[in-house]
Amino acid sequence: GAGVSQSPSNKVTEKGKDVELRCDPISGHTALYWYRQRLGQGLEFLIYFQGNSAPDKSGLPSDRFSAERTGESVSTLTIQRTQQEDSAVYLCASSLAASNEQFFGPGTRLTVL
Amino acid sequence: AQSVSQHNHHVILSEAASLELGCNYSYGGTVNLFWYVQYPGQHLQLLLKYFSGDPLVKGIKGFEAEFIKSKFSFNLRKPSVQWSDTAEYFCAVMMYNQGGKLIFGQGTELSVKP
């Protein structure tokens, strides 16, 4: 298990439901990032963790979005009361430390009906 | 706000043609620069990076990029493309002392005809 893993790989939900997306970073990586990629667009930064604290949450689009991280391990991104505009691929990346090369997971494709 | 601009949305080339993908960014401070590639059905992987030193950097699979500070550019080049280079290419900028978050361009889809 050398790479970043994410689950689920696909999630279809109804508008108004809550969803939880999971990221398992590479072991030993202290920095963890969440990005969002809407169809036909580049990646947008959402939030950055250093250990289990989040020094930069500037990319979270609204208060319906939240994230947490347990130590230097798993992170979950939660979207409450999902809206259709939340449909996107959510990508997680980790790095040994901030400002190092980031390794990306395969992403979770979220579809809100 | 800082931004990254990739000039071409979709590029179509024949095998053996030369490639240059443009990337410009808007930030006057120190930056680290990256090109990532996403092959069909695969996840993003690093193609090459610039942190400091020689502004001409070489990456995997024969790709190279040149950082021109005065032009805020980091263009990607390959002298002779192959069908297997068909992918989406993303330029990304990391601003110094900003926690390592990446600002991405919109991406350029490259299609190489055999």
Side-chain angles (χ1 to χ4, degrees), chain A residues 7-84:
Chain A
S7 60
S9 55
N10 277 285
K11 176 72 178 178
V12 180
T13 190
E14 293 179 349
K15 178 181 170 181
K17 300 279 191 185
D18 297 352
V19 296
E20 199 170 274
L21 313 179
R22 177 187 168 109
C23 171
D24 283 88
I26 294 171
S27 177
H29 281 195
T30 64
L32 185 146
Y33 304 81
W34 283 98
Y35 296 88
R36 175 172 74 174
Q37 185 177 20
R38 289 170 164 169
L39 190 63
Q41 299 186 23
L43 282 73
E44 308 167 66
F45 166 79
L46 297 178
I47 186 169
Y48 150 59
F49 285 93
Q50 180 60 47
N52 62 4
S53 66
D56 189 350
K57 305 179 184 179
S58 62
L60 293 178
S62 75
D63 59 7
R64 295 187 295 106
F65 287 71
S66 63
E68 61 180 30
R69 186 179 184 195
T70 308
E72 292 185 353
S73 184
V74 172
S75 175
T76 54
L77 176 69
T78 301
I79 310 172
Q80 296 179 307
R81 305 181 303 281
T82 52
Q83 303 293 313
Q84 288 182 332

Side-chain angles (χ1 to χ4, degrees), chain A residues 4 31 33 35 37 40-45 48 50 56 58-59 91 98-107, chain B residues 9 32 34 36 38 43-46 49 51 88 90 94-107:
Chain A
V4 177
Y33 304 81
Y35 296 88
Q37 185 177 20
Q41 299 186 23
L43 282 73
E44 308 167 66
F45 166 79
Y48 150 59
Q50 180 60 47
D56 189 350
S58 62
L91 290 157
S99 303
N100 282 38
E101 171 189 347
Q102 293 177 26
F103 294 84
F104 282 81
Chain B
H9 180 62
N32 296 333
F34 304 82
Y36 280 86
Q38 187 167 27
H43 58 270
L44 273 172
Q45 55 187 282
L46 183 70
K49 63 187 177 188
F51 278 27
E88 189 149 20
F90 293 93
M94 180 188 292
M95 295 165 291
Y96 181 72
N97 236 9
Q98 296 271 321
K101 73 181 181 186
L102 293 171
I103 309 297
F104 281 85
Q106 301 280 69

